[in-house]
Amino acid sequence: MFVTAYLAFIVLVGLCVVLEITARRLTSSQTTQTAVANPAFRRFQNIFLKVYLLALWADWLQGPYLYKLYRHYNFLESQIAILYVCGLGSCVLFAPVAGWLPQFLGRRQTCVLFCVAYSICCFTKLSRDYFMLILGRVLGGLSTSLLTTTFEAWYVHGHTEVHDFPKEWIPVTFTKVASWNHALAVAAGLVANLFAEWLGLGPVAPFLLAIPSLAICGWFVMFDWGREESSEGARGDKSTPLLNPINGPKLQTSARARFWRGCLEGLRCLLSDRRVMLLGGVQALFESVLYIFVFLWTPVLDPHGPPLGIVFSCLMAASMAGSTLFRLATSAPYRLQPGHLLCLAVLLAFFSFFMLTFSTVPGQPRPRESLLAFLLLELACGLYFPAVSFLQGRVIPVERRAVVLAWFRLPLHLLACLGLLALHGEVSGAGAGEAGGGTRHMFAGCAVMMLAALLAVVSLFTVGRNDADLRLEGTKLDGEI
């Protein structure tokens, strides 16, 4: 497995380089060229990117060795499952708070809070105390919720309200973020492996390595973003708390009322449009099994001795290949529909979990087949995320998108928690040598969930067969000549 992991890494990185070169040649657009030619836009984009990419880098560093760290502290798999459930439950609890905090503290201050909370989360990994590690998982859930909302909110506000750049330029920045995000994930696996295994510092090393990145990120937020807000006047930006001695309670009540009104309007949007409900069902089913996969890939492969950091880089490279394939497939020469690619992603995910039910038979493990299945699953993820993002952008109103996506994440995290609790129950109740059966049963359950997601995708096709919103611009509807 040691040699297999390195060979897979070399092949996948080479594939990613070839696909990226081809994609850049075929997918360059006039909008991108116009945006890049604007020096004010490039400056604002760079101020945002150096902060956000540092935050993403710190997040990715913690991926390869989280489960390994808990095993290093001699916790049982059932105890580790509870730690993961605490993290997911924290995401459920803090998702609404993450949407409200920027209104109360200000966008920039909330980003600083992310850096502080995630740094404390990393420090808790030095402790072997179970309840301290639970606290770390709770802070990790808060940090993840802030990472997925607050930084983008600061950028979108500055882009549209402060600088008044065209809204069509926003995807230019986030396409760049997506490309860098994959590259950072691959590099994070290599760096984590270097410190944890090659230098022999142990699985806690990547978490400590993330802390300086978070400190630098917080410094840039406080000073670079502060100067940006001051120089531009930050029209309408709540860079200071809403509370003040005179009318603080009134403003706080107003912000709370807007928040709850927005939640109700988002729920109404979700329930009134069948396309949105089906898309939410696909997202809840697909992404909940990804959380289960994140928990299970390490115990499936680690007993066979692969370098976990390199395996993590392989998984991220496979995801990067899938994302690049999506860009190629939807480019002018091919014009494949995102809905069809979403269906392909769900099929690949189903096939990978189907493979895993046979490669994880207790007493007869086949780690190479399991690694191949995991790589196929990450390839499916690379296709899935841009496809579902495209469809969400078409069927969910911009002003309701953040709230509707928060409603999507609620069943997503609950399903993942239930899956991990079910695994915890199987592992706790299993006798010696029987615990591996729980992993196999969990993969079988994930395969069933992927079948349900496939049915939701087919239903979405049926509802939107002649819906121009679900298709790329410039393509014909069914029955058109």
Side-chain angles (χ1 to χ4, degrees):
M1 281 298 292
F2 186 89
V3 175
T4 300
Y6 277 97
L7 286 176
F9 175 75
I10 293 171
V11 171
L12 286 166
V13 169
L15 176 64
C16 287
V17 170
V18 173
L19 289 174
E20 184 64 28
I21 292 172
T22 306
R24 290 193 178 191
R25 188 173 68 249
L26 294 178
T27 59
S28 179
S29 67
Q30 185 62 40
T31 300
T32 302
Q33 294 173 3
T34 304
V36 171
N38 187 304
F41 173 76
R42 286 203 314 272
R43 175 184 170 277
F44 177 65
Q45 185 187 66
N46 290 334
I47 288 174
F48 169 73
L49 286 177
K50 71 179 179 181
V51 171
Y52 192 37
L53 294 179
L54 273 170
L56 292 173
W57 169 253
D59 186 51
W60 284 122
L61 279 173
Q62 302 174 55
Y65 288 95
L66 180 60
Y67 187 97
K68 181 74 171 181
L69 176 69
Y70 296 144
R71 290 296 293 170
H72 179 70
Y73 289 159
N74 295 320
F75 291 113
L76 301 175
E77 185 171 326
S78 58
Q79 293 175 304
I80 300 173
I82 292 298
L83 287 170
Y84 274 74
V85 168
C86 289
L88 291 173
S90 176
C91 286
V92 174
L93 291 174
F94 286 120
V97 177
W100 176 71
L101 270 178
Q103 302 177 43
F104 181 70
L105 294 177
R107 298 176 187 86
R108 184 161 56 90
Q109 286 85 345
T110 307
C111 291
V112 173
L113 175 63
F114 158 82
C115 296
V116 173
Y118 223 3
S119 296
I120 297 173
C121 170
C122 293
F123 272 119
T124 62
K125 301 301 188 292
L126 290 169
S127 173
R128 293 174 178 263
D129 182 77
Y130 192 67
F131 292 101
M132 183 62 71
L133 294 173
I134 287 178
L135 173 63
R137 291 297 294 166
V138 172
L139 289 174
L142 170 63
S143 304
T144 301
S145 299
L146 295 177
L147 178 64
T148 56
T149 56
T150 308
F151 287 85
E152 293 184 9
W154 184 90
Y155 175 81
V156 171
H157 179 271
H159 182 105
T160 57
E161 302 296 330
V162 177
H163 293 279
D164 198 26
F165 295 131
K167 291 184 178 180
E168 294 77 15
W169 292 5
I170 292 177
V172 174
T173 296
F174 289 109
T175 299
K176 197 169 186 178
V177 167
S179 298
W180 273 101
N181 192 31
H182 283 111
L184 287 174
V186 174
L190 293 176
V191 172
N193 192 80
L194 169 65
F195 281 83
E197 299 189 31
W198 293 354
L199 298 180
L201 298 178
V204 75
F207 297 93
L208 299 181
L209 192 63
I211 295 173
S213 300
L214 291 168
I216 297 170
C217 176
W219 176 272
F220 284 147
V221 169
M222 291 175 63
F223 294 99
D224 279 21
W225 283 14
R227 284 195 296 269
E228 172 70 13
E229 291 175 354
S230 299
S231 64
E232 298 296 337
R235 298 192 303 271
D237 182 36
K238 306 299 182 183
S239 56
T240 56
L242 290 175
L243 291 178
N244 61 63
I246 299 175
N247 58 358
K250 181 179 179 180
L251 287 175
Q252 184 182 12
T253 303
S254 176
R256 190 184 298 115
R258 287 198 304 270
F259 167 72
W260 287 112
R261 186 166 58 250
C263 288
L264 292 175
E265 289 175 353
L267 182 61
R268 192 178 299 115
C269 175
L270 173 62
L271 297 176
S272 62
D273 191 333
R274 193 179 175 193
R275 300 174 305 169
V276 179
M277 288 188 64
L278 289 170
L279 199 57
V282 174
Q283 182 175 355
L285 291 166
F286 192 99
E287 296 183 29
S288 61
V289 302
L290 292 187
Y291 282 105
I292 297 172
F293 153 71
V294 166
F295 173 78
L296 289 176
W297 75 267
T298 303
V300 168
L301 298 178
D302 189 42
H304 307 282
L308 293 180
I310 301 301
V311 171
F312 183 83
S313 292
C314 289
L315 296 174
M316 297 300 101
S319 179
M320 183 177 183
S323 179
T324 311
L325 281 172
F326 177 88
R327 288 163 54 199
L328 281 170
T330 55
S331 62
Y334 307 105
R335 303 296 283 177
L336 294 181
Q337 295 302 323
H340 298 156
L341 295 173
L342 178 62
C343 185
L344 175 61
V346 175
L347 279 172
L348 280 174
F350 165 75
F351 183 67
S352 67
F353 284 115
F354 186 74
M355 286 179 60
L356 286 163
T357 60
F358 293 97
S359 64
T360 56
V361 177
Q364 298 176 335
R366 295 196 288 271
R368 288 181 178 82
E369 286 84 347
S370 295
L371 176 59
L372 176 60
F374 288 146
L375 293 175
L376 283 176
L377 179 59
E378 284 293 344
L379 180 69
C381 291
L383 291 168
Y384 163 83
F385 282 105
V388 81
S389 179
F390 172 88
L391 294 173
Q392 287 172 350
R394 291 302 186 91
V395 302
I396 304 174
V398 175
E399 63 276 8
R400 301 281 176 263
R401 191 169 304 160
V403 179
V404 172
L405 293 183
W407 281 109
F408 283 179
R409 284 192 289 270
L410 180 61
L412 185 163
H413 288 116
L414 290 176
L415 284 172
C417 287
L418 289 174
L420 290 174
L421 287 172
L423 180 64
H424 165 265
E426 288 213 32
V427 172
S428 300
E434 297 176 359
T439 299
R440 188 189 184 203
H441 296 157
M442 187 56 59
F443 284 137
C446 290
V448 173
M449 292 174 71
M450 284 298 95
L451 277 179
L454 184 61
L455 291 175
V457 173
V458 172
S459 298
L460 183 63
F461 286 166
T462 303
V463 171
R465 182 179 303 161
N466 293 310
D467 192 338
D469 288 340
L470 302 181
R471 303 174 69 89
L472 292 171
E473 295 178 3
T475 56
K476 298 178 180 178
L477 302 176
D478 294 346
E480 288 186 348
I481 302 177

